[in-house]
Amino acid sequence: MKDHQDLILDGTKLAWHLDRVEKWERGERIAPITIDMALTRACNYSCGFCYAMFQENDREVITKKVIFDFLEDCAEIGVKGISFVSDGESTISPVFIDACKKGHELGISMAVGTNAFVLTKNRLEEVLPYLTYLRVNFSAGEKKRYSEIMGVKESSFDRVCQNIKDMVAIKKRDNLSVTIGMQMVLMPEDADQIIPLAKLGKELRPDYAIIKHCSDNEDGGLGVDYDSYEKIFPLLKEAESYSDEEYKCVIKWSKIKDKGNNGRSYQRCYGAPFMLQLSGSGLVAPCGGLFNEKYKKFHIGNICETRFKDLWNSDRYWEVMNYLASPKFNAQKMCASLCLQHNVNETLDAHLKGKGSLKRPEGDSPNHIDFV
């Protein structure tokens, strides 16, 4: 792996995929560059900031056959990266390790976002060689607060810290290219954990620790006070100072400063064809904000019932994508705050309006190029 300074953790790598942008502009059907998905809707944690409560939909089981067929379809149509994040804890699925191996063998960049509770040393030995990155969701730096914020026993803190130490050691021992990170989803009221988290990361030695905003639904169901982030900017800037040559503490400033939907400069959603999301139920929908049953008009199908390449080739898939990019849709009023596709949407919107230059940057490409 290149130096961790070559990671883009706050922004988009869309400029390195201009061939797909040009096809999209010509009206051609493009495969997603990146797919974020889960292997299950289940989770062994109960985080207070979790968006999954807004994403309930009819559940199907993603079996080994289903995920293998899906991965083969993705490789065939040109999907470049798949990250197991989304609306469930994928590591507790019985098909998790097999799926990572299969995707890797097919030439797809594979990654996971996880609470890492079940990723003990033996499982890490099995899966780390097949991953581009492993990001541990870790939203506090102190044991008691970790328990309160993430809805688990205090002992879970120690177990996951040991798992992180083990993954760092395995990476170093075997000279693996996998990037290891920690991620804090920051609710403004949990600002007391910013510095402890930055310090803990420096102690555990992953490649980075990122502190990001908390997304809310369009109705403000989590009650995130986006104006309150500004009051904790000094703490966030202090956290950055804990970075060194081998560990980077990163603040996701672009979204933290955007104040939820108030920061959206665009109304149309162009990003979904480039960055698709799937639910752990197998549901194919444009994004996680539209997984819930009440958004059924945006639901395309289910990979447990229909092959993904057939869903992608269907008129239904493109009817949904084209609707989101049409004047009939208004992302400022109809979307969850600061969604996964936000930076891609800003970039494409500016590009189409002639306000931004979307051209391939000079020099080497950054790490994780398949995750836009």
Side-chain angles (χ1 to χ4, degrees), residues 64-73 75 82 84 95-110 127 130:
K64 185 174 179 179
K65 181 182 187 310
V66 167
I67 193 61
F68 276 26
D69 286 349
F70 173 80
L71 292 167
E72 288 170 2
D73 288 349
I82 295 175
F84 292 135
V95 303
F96 169 66
I97 291 176
D98 287 334
C100 292
K101 289 181 180 179
K102 178 69 171 180
H104 177 82
E105 289 166 0
L106 289 167
I108 300 169
S109 294
M110 303 299 295
V127 78
Y130 304 103

Side-chain angles (χ1 to χ4, degrees), residues 20 35 67 69 110 112 122 130 146 200 215 236 255 268 277 312 327 331 336 348 353 360:
R20 210 153 296 199
I35 293 178
I67 193 61
D69 286 349
M110 303 299 295
V112 61
N122 287 344
Y130 304 103
Y146 179 92
L200 181 64
S215 294
L236 293 170
K255 291 188 178 181
R268 302 184 189 186
Q277 288 181 274
W312 175 76
L348 290 172
K353 291 176 178 175
R360 195 184 192 285

Side-chain angles (χ1 to χ4, degrees), residues 3-56:
D3 188 270
H4 70 61
Q5 299 295 333
D6 292 318
L7 290 169
I8 295 178
L9 297 171
D10 185 15
T12 175
K13 308 179 197 76
L14 192 63
W16 282 272
H17 298 278
L18 291 184
D19 56 336
R20 210 153 296 199
V21 175
E22 289 163 359
K23 287 181 179 179
W24 172 75
E25 285 188 278
R26 293 194 297 266
E28 297 180 31
R29 294 183 173 186
I30 61 165
I33 301 166
T34 306
I35 293 178
D36 275 18
M37 65 179 297
L39 293 170
T40 177
R41 281 275 296 143
C43 187
N44 50 352
Y45 271 46
S46 185
C47 301
F49 53 79
C50 185
Y51 194 91
M53 70 179 77
F54 304 125
Q55 297 174 301
E56 192 58 59

Side-chain angles (χ1 to χ4, degrees), residues 29 60 66 112 145 200 247 279 323 366 372:
R29 294 183 173 186
E60 299 282 349
V66 167
V112 61
R145 295 288 283 125
L200 181 64
Y247 162 71
S279 171
Y323 176 80
V372 291

Side-chain angles (χ1 to χ4, degrees), residues 195 198 202 236-244 249:
I195 302 305
K202 195 174 182 74
L236 293 170
K237 288 175 180 174
E238 181 185 344
E240 290 178 316
S241 72
Y242 288 91
S243 299
D244 57 38
C249 186

Side-chain angles (χ1 to χ4, degrees), residues 57 218 283-287 289-301 315-324 326 328-330 334:
N57 55 78
E218 71 275 22
L283 171 70
V284 179
C287 70
L290 299 174
F291 285 167
N292 192 282
E293 282 297 299
K294 68 179 180 179
Y295 300 114
K296 212 168 183 66
K297 71 175 183 177
F298 297 106
H299 294 178
I300 296 161
D315 290 340
R316 171 66 181 164
Y317 184 100
W318 293 102
E319 284 168 6
V320 172
M321 297 300 172
N322 292 335
Y323 176 80
L324 295 176
S326 77
K328 297 176 183 178
F329 187 78
N330 187 337
M334 302 166 70

